[in-house]
Amino acid sequence: MADQGDQEFFPYVEKLFALVRKGYLDNKQKKQKIEKLVMDQEGYSEYRKKYPSASRFVNDFKNKTQIGDLVIVSDGNHKFRAIGEITGGYCVLNDPDNTPEYVQKKDVKWLKIFEPSLAVEQIFDKVLSQQTIYNLANAINLQKLQNILSSKTNEQAQDKKFILIIDEINRGNISRIFGELITLIEDSKREGANEALSVTLPYSKEEFSVPENVYLIGTMNSSDRSLTGLDIALRRRFTFVEMPPKPELLNGVEVKGLNIGKLLEVINQRIEVLLDRDHCIGHANFMSLIKQPNLETLSSIFKQKIIPQLQEYFFDDWSKINMVLNANGMLQSNGIDKSLLFPNVAHESDGYFDEQKTWEVVDDAFSLIESFTKIIKH
């Protein structure tokens, strides 16, 4: 393509090889006649009057297509299946009896073969015509053609896969993340699919489509209730796979004889009963213990991650948090001295204060392995 510059001639053939149908040459006699006619301009003029379309196709095929020209093979009016380069001159097959469909040929090197066929919008600005061969100079988009020829073949592309991860995708503005590309990520709209689509990028003006070997992974936290329902466009285009906590990944981790996998399993069982399964604690919080299985690391995890997370889950209902911890001593409740805090409040409200408690975190309890053991102690 680079050697040819801006091609002015892009021939089209109906089948996957650059041959002219024998339908225009019904027998050996017509074959011999056409050999003479394509060489003899005077005879060709007479034949053209009798067979206008057939003679024009033969003449275009033999005399106008040149070595180095590109041929594009259609698959109906709305798809194309191959792109090739003419590498040999015109010749008539010696034994037409063994070639019932074709008797004239030019050798072609196939640059791209598409299975399945691609939509014409990938390289054309209009639909194809069902002529046997014709000039595509006014129909082809050279930039699109160059992009397709420079891209890897399907076989090469399938050897390598690419993954794009969008963290907390449900928190993003979907229209700003994907824009009009939201349609291109559908399986049926990807490059090479039956309904493949492409868009022109606004800045580079290049044609863009999403290959089938690109995988999009969006992560989201199912416990996040601060957001409205997930965008319908995402639900239609993504497969949802639940990733629950996996305490079994921590079964081999122990801190002073305490099995961390069992610790996480029991905590989540209580959360599921008191709240729901969407709010279970993830195993990722404890993964640092694999390299540092000591009490200091475990204490830090509970102080900085687990307790604050439970506060958020239970809306500071400390009594329920204490239940999750199995009253292990990390939290301490204190009664309210009404006479000290509310000396002027009427006695009718005494019942209210009887039920109220204040809670505090007992820092010293986090330095004792017994506090953590009590969480799973029955």
Side-chain angles (χ1 to χ4, degrees), residues 144-277:
K144 293 180 180 180
L145 176 62
Q146 187 174 17
N147 291 342
I148 283 188
L149 290 177
S150 62
S151 65
K152 292 184 178 181
T153 62
N154 291 341
E155 292 78 8
Q156 291 174 316
Q158 289 172 357
D159 293 338
K160 195 170 185 179
K161 303 183 186 302
F162 300 87
I163 298 176
L164 174 64
I165 300 176
I166 305 173
D167 192 26
E168 295 199 28
I169 191 172
N170 57 322
R171 286 184 171 272
N173 185 323
I174 301 304
S175 62
R176 297 189 67 178
I177 293 174
F178 291 104
E180 59 189 351
L181 301 183
I182 189 69
T183 301
L184 302 187
I185 67 176
E186 295 183 33
D187 291 341
S188 61
K189 303 298 189 298
R190 293 194 174 208
E191 182 181 304
N194 291 334
E195 301 175 8
L197 293 177
S198 63
V199 297
T200 302
L201 298 177
Y203 295 107
S204 65
K205 304 303 179 184
E206 293 183 358
E207 206 66 20
F208 178 81
S209 60
V210 180
E212 61 179 5
N213 63 337
V214 173
Y215 297 84
L216 301 180
I217 298 177
T219 67
M220 58 181 290
N221 190 342
S222 59
S223 66
D224 192 342
R225 301 299 185 188
S226 63
L227 303 174
T228 57
L230 190 64
D231 192 290
I232 296 300
L234 282 185
R235 289 194 177 276
R236 240 182 30 245
R237 292 168 173 85
F238 282 80
T239 298
F240 286 78
V241 179
E242 184 182 13
M243 300 293 292
K246 296 182 178 180
E248 63 272 14
L249 297 178
L250 300 167
N251 282 339
V253 181
E254 290 191 358
V255 177
K256 294 189 175 183
L258 175 63
N259 186 301
I260 302 302
K262 182 64 175 178
L263 176 69
L264 176 61
E265 181 181 357
V266 171
I267 288 176
N268 282 335
Q269 287 174 348
R270 292 176 181 149
I271 292 175
E272 190 170 347
V273 171
L274 295 172
L275 194 56
D276 58 52
R277 67 195 304 268

Side-chain angles (χ1 to χ4, degrees), residues 8 14 42 53 57 87 103 126-127 137 193 215 240 244 249 266 272 284 306 320 349-350 361:
E8 294 183 355
E14 188 178 5
E42 181 178 353
S53 296
F57 294 149
T87 58
V103 295
K126 58 179 71 174
V127 297
Y215 297 84
F240 286 78
L249 297 178
V266 171
E272 190 170 347
I306 305 305
K320 287 186 177 179
S349 59
D350 287 348
V361 177

Side-chain angles (χ1 to χ4, degrees), residues 333-336 352-359:
S333 63
N334 300 307
I336 295 178
Y352 171 80
F353 290 105
D354 291 341
E355 298 177 359
Q356 297 304 307
K357 296 179 181 180
T358 60
W359 292 83

